[in-house]
Amino acid sequence: MSLIGSLRLCLLALLWGSNYLLIKLAAPAFSPAQILTLRLATGAAVLLMVAALRGEALPKDRRTWAHLLVGAILANDVPYFLFAWAEQTVDSSLAGTCNAAAPLFTVVAMVLSGQRRRLRGGQLAGVLVGFTGVLVLLAPWGAPGTVPATGACVVAAAGFGVGFVYLGRVLAGSEHGPLALAAGQLTAATAVSLLTGPLLLKPVGGDPDATLALLALGVLGTGTAYVLNLRLIAGEGPLAASLVSYLLPLVAVGLGTVLLDEPVSWSLAVGGSAVLLGVALGGRRPASRPGSGLTPAAGSRRTPSGSAPARAIRPGTARSPRGPDGPTQASRPGEDS
């Protein structure tokens, strides 16, 4: 990877990894529905502006918009809302670590949808190790009150994984560029989030720090991170961009520990390490024979979150987005994630 590519990777990991901290800071003053809608709206505004400046028009056909709508619900609305709700209870470091499991769900979804025939050897072991780590993160033997919120983070990670696979399959070979598809996806996600209208009417607390955190979550952690992710893929390829999956939880835990004094429990350390090991093993390319029909391992379709997240598309090309948080993914991954 080039020096510029390495710097972009580190910046992307910082943006996505900080989403969980920003959600935690915004949670006292905003409801989960407000965080969801304002995050998506500001993120979509950034992508629409960049797309306009680059002369990329949004899709016009109904079929593409229908697919983007489904993908937006799976990979944006559901995960983003769940993380915002969960962080009212659990630490930001735990939420960020749970999102690291998104690539595991991507691999499983690919097998179940027929995009991969089966898992072999180390790949199967990696998935088993990774989901064992998820169980440790849930820590059902610990405080019962945190299990539902931790479970919501795991479901959010699954939403990223399934959403990436769905969008990568239905939008493969699309005539639209990745940036236009990503902008369309976040626009569709924003429209869906408005259906939570009654929940948006909660009075907003006058906390300037929470307001700034929410704006940063949308403008930087969602919109700007999407653009940076696409640029990283275009410049360095999807394999290099996938390394963000391993850096994101480290950033989330580091920020939560240093800035919010969140403790690093043994279940977080052990479970998070197992998840990352599982992702590494499960994403390895199998040694396939010519004509065997095996597709590359989670290669260009794996996430990370807040945030998410969301990226968009053309699997099989160097421009195919991915990432954990988040983000769109008409192909990848997210934060939130």
Side-chain angles (χ1 to χ4, degrees):
M1 190 185 301
S2 67
L3 176 60
I4 294 297
S6 298
L7 293 175
R8 284 177 179 148
L9 176 66
C10 292
L11 179 57
L12 181 60
L14 179 61
L15 290 176
W16 271 339
S18 64
N19 281 351
Y20 308 95
L21 170 69
L22 295 174
I23 292 173
K24 195 71 174 178
L25 294 175
F30 298 91
S31 70
Q34 290 169 334
I35 293 175
L36 168 70
T37 301
L38 294 175
R39 173 187 184 177
L40 286 171
T42 51
V46 171
L47 289 181
L48 290 171
M49 180 180 64
V50 175
L53 291 174
R54 295 185 58 177
E56 292 196 31
L58 293 180
K60 294 182 173 57
D61 57 293
R62 293 182 181 179
R63 177 180 176 278
T64 298
W65 276 106
H67 289 316
L68 288 177
L69 181 61
V70 174
I73 294 172
L74 291 173
N76 297 112
D77 289 292
V78 171
Y80 288 3
F81 179 84
L82 289 177
F83 276 122
W85 176 80
E87 287 198 51
Q88 294 180 323
T89 304
V90 301
D91 290 341
S92 64
S93 54
L94 177 60
T97 304
C98 287
N99 192 38
L104 298 173
F105 289 103
T106 300
V107 172
V108 172
M110 290 177 70
V111 173
L112 295 178
S113 65
Q115 295 188 48
R116 294 179 61 168
R117 288 187 176 180
R118 58 185 176 277
L119 300 176
R120 292 188 174 184
Q123 293 178 327
L124 179 58
V127 171
L128 294 176
V129 169
F131 281 115
T132 299
V134 171
L135 179 61
V136 174
L137 288 174
L138 284 170
W141 51 82
T146 63
V147 174
T150 306
C153 293
V154 174
V155 173
F160 284 137
V162 174
F164 302 154
V165 173
Y166 172 81
L167 287 168
R169 182 165 189 167
V170 300
L171 293 177
S174 173
E175 61 183 9
H176 305 287
L179 180 58
L181 289 170
Q185 184 175 330
L186 282 193
T187 300
T190 303
V192 171
S193 73
L194 294 176
L195 297 178
T196 63
L199 300 177
L200 298 174
L201 299 179
K202 171 191 171 183
V204 176
D207 186 341
D209 291 337
T211 302
L212 288 175
L214 184 52
L215 289 174
L217 178 65
V219 174
L220 300 177
T222 305
T224 303
Y226 263 54
V227 175
L228 183 60
N229 181 59
L230 292 172
R231 186 66 190 88
L232 181 62
I233 291 169
E236 305 294 335
L239 181 60
S242 70
L243 295 175
V244 75
S245 299
Y246 305 99
L247 299 177
L248 186 154
L250 301 180
V251 173
V253 172
L255 291 177
T257 301
V258 174
L259 299 181
L260 299 179
D261 293 324
E262 295 176 348
V264 180
S265 64
W266 74 266
S267 59
L268 177 62
V270 174
S273 298
V275 167
L276 292 179
L277 176 60
V279 169
L281 293 174
R284 294 180 63 186
R285 294 177 182 274
S288 59
R289 298 181 301 278
S292 66
L294 289 176
T295 57
S300 60
R301 295 205 215 307
R302 193 166 61 191
T303 98
S305 287
S307 22
R311 295 99 222 244
I313 258 104
R314 298 200 198 164
T317 74
R319 299 170 60 191
S320 246
R322 356 164 347 130
D325 178 65
T328 86
Q329 285 83 326
S331 112
R332 156 202 131 78
E335 122 236 344
D336 160 296
S337 218

